[in-house]
Amino acid sequence: MKPAPFAYAKARSLEDAVAQLADHHGEAKLLAGGQSLIATLNMRLSSPSLLVDINGIGLDGISVKNGMVEIGALARHATLERSAEIARHAPLIALAMPHIAHPAIRNRGTIGGSLAYADPAAELPACLVALDGEIDITGPSGRRSVEAADFFKGLFETALGPHDVLSAVRVPAATSGTRVGFAELARRHGDYALVGLAAAAKTSGKGLSDVRLVYFGVGATPVRARKAETALAGGSVDDAVKALDLEPSDDLHASGAVKQHLAGVLLRRVAKQLAELRA
Ligand SMILES: Cc1cc2nc3c(=O)[nH]c(=O)nc-3n(C[C@H](O)[C@H](O)[C@H](O)COP(=O)(O)OP(=O)(O)OC[C@H]3O[C@@H](n4cnc5c(N)ncnc54)[C@H](O)[C@@H]3O)c2cc1C
């Protein structure tokens, strides 16, 4: 299918993008990498009257300051995948990157687009929640920051209003005590995950503390498995698997029971990564 007719405007700046969204009263959509948006237009799941192209307005840098890694919304997946700064200071994002789609899609797709789109099976939303990140939103009344855990509101639903632009994300820079793990199961490499797990923790003596286990593909938003986190911090992977407090529903790809089983398989893999990476 072809998309419904739409007008196109190239934003000159972040402020211009916000102004154009506001001028069109919820009828306009931002175009970032286009890797999800264009498909939804072609399938006529969405028919905005205007696309506001935010490519070329900057917002694509990576910097490390005050113990935080800041990534501009327009940083492309491929840039993050190849970035030495991301590998060093945000290793969970580096681990997740090769699982996102295929190289051609990663060349265009952006971190801001992925978070704004909020697919429940996407990798980056879970990584941001696992890292306890923050998301900057710029709208008609200026800029505000939202914790990643509060950003994802429901299925494809976020804290972004119709006139808002996701402008940057921040995650705490990894320290020598930071441990991360990532695993997912997909029918083919590059497909959206059936179930995935992004994890972060801190070393604490011979064990782990501050364990954050965030699943994707098991609910409408990234889901923290809090009882399993406590059990894993207590040192027992078996107890953590038993404590997995997820309630995945059936979907087109797998039953809830299969997803629950796969969540346990992933937890064992990720727990091993967290342990192996320990100095
Ligand atoms: C075949 C295929 C396989 C894929 N597999 C995966 C996968 O395994 N895992 C995965 O995570 N993703 C996958 N993707 C999606 C890919 O990661 C996209 O890049 C991402 O979802 C959207 O990013 P984008 O920059 O292309 O956003 P766009 O498609 O341009 O925009 C997506 C939505 O977000 C809005 N938006 C974009 N940027 C902003 C912003 N800065 N502020 C506010 N709103 C904004 C747009 O208006 C639109 O509604 C796949 C895509 C394809 C086509």
Side-chain angles (χ1 to χ4, degrees), residues 157-177:
E157 200 191 327
T158 69
L160 287 166
H163 308 148
D164 287 338
V165 180
L166 191 164
S167 38
V169 308
R170 269 182 309 283
V171 295
T175 63
S176 59

Side-chain angles (χ1 to χ4, degrees), residues 21 28-40 46 51 54-55 59 73-74 76-77 99-102 105-106 108-119 121-125 160-161 164-167 184 190-193:
L21 291 177
K29 273 209 174 280
L30 296 174
L31 170 68
Q35 298 304 299
S36 299
L37 177 64
I38 299 301
T40 62
S46 170
L51 291 193
I54 51 175
N55 288 276
L59 298 184
L74 285 158
R76 302 200 193 272
H77 301 328
H99 295 272
I100 300 179
H102 311 286
I105 292 159
R106 296 202 291 274
R108 296 299 303 167
T110 64
I111 188 167
S114 177
L115 298 171
Y117 191 61
D119 190 298
E123 290 80 1
L124 287 169
L160 287 166
D164 287 338
V165 180
L166 191 164
S167 38
E184 73 172 52
D191 282 0
Y192 274 107

Side-chain angles (χ1 to χ4, degrees), residues 152-211:
F152 301 101
K153 300 281 187 201
L155 194 62
F156 296 105
E157 200 191 327
T158 69
L160 287 166
H163 308 148
D164 287 338
V165 180
L166 191 164
S167 38
V169 308
R170 269 182 309 283
V171 295
T175 63
S176 59
T178 301
R179 295 295 176 260
V180 295
F182 185 91
E184 73 172 52
L185 291 158
R187 284 192 189 277
R188 294 171 305 186
H189 185 82
D191 282 0
Y192 274 107
L194 289 175
V195 182
L197 172 58
K202 301 241 175 300
T203 46
S204 168
K206 289 190 172 173
L208 296 171
S209 65
D210 297 329
V211 178

